[in-house]
Amino acid sequence: MIGAALVALVALIHLAILVMEMVLWETPQVRRIFGVSPEFAANTRVLAANQGLYNGFLAAGLILALIRGIPGAGVDLASFILACVIVAGLYGAATAARRILYVQALPAALALVAVLVGF
């Protein structure tokens, strides 16, 4: 049950990122969160939407895993998607912003451990 809850949390994080990057990218609140200027946000709107779409795919995979069941048939899918989130989070922390490690990689790692241990 803990694993499923953590998987759901990671899915919600990525749905929130999808909304921020695809819909709210140029708003003052989202620009502040991502630390970008109005000009940069305007110039990277399409790129941000593309990134948001990928985050949506991660969320969709985790939601499908939850539907299949954790524990149960969704464990393999959840494990794969969570591993992808961890790798993306580590890369983002190394290349873009250290906080990505805490916002994306750490929750995914905790979820992965809980799923694999069977919590």
Side-chain angles (χ1 to χ4, degrees):
M1 186 162 183
I2 293 171
L6 290 172
V7 168
L9 174 65
V10 175
L12 287 174
I13 289 168
H14 286 275
L15 287 174
I17 295 169
L18 173 146
V19 171
M20 287 188 289
E21 291 178 338
M22 293 191 81
V23 179
L24 304 173
W25 182 244
E26 294 185 71
T27 65
Q29 298 85 358
V30 171
R31 283 190 289 104
R32 192 173 19 236
I33 290 168
F34 285 90
V36 299
S37 69
E39 296 79 19
F40 183 85
N43 290 332
T44 60
R45 181 177 48 85
V46 173
L47 177 64
N50 190 355
Q51 290 178 179
L53 183 62
Y54 286 108
N55 279 287
F57 291 143
L58 294 171
L62 293 174
I63 291 167
L64 180 58
L66 287 168
I67 291 168
R68 288 183 175 176
I70 298 173
V75 168
D76 288 343
L77 179 59
S79 298
F80 173 73
I81 299 293
L82 290 167
C84 291
V85 170
I86 293 165
V87 170
L90 291 172
Y91 184 80
T95 61
R98 180 171 285 235
R99 66 189 155 99
I100 294 171
L101 182 67
Y102 306 107
V103 174
Q104 288 182 317
L106 181 60
L110 294 174
L112 181 59
V113 168
V115 166
L116 292 176
V117 172
F119 285 152

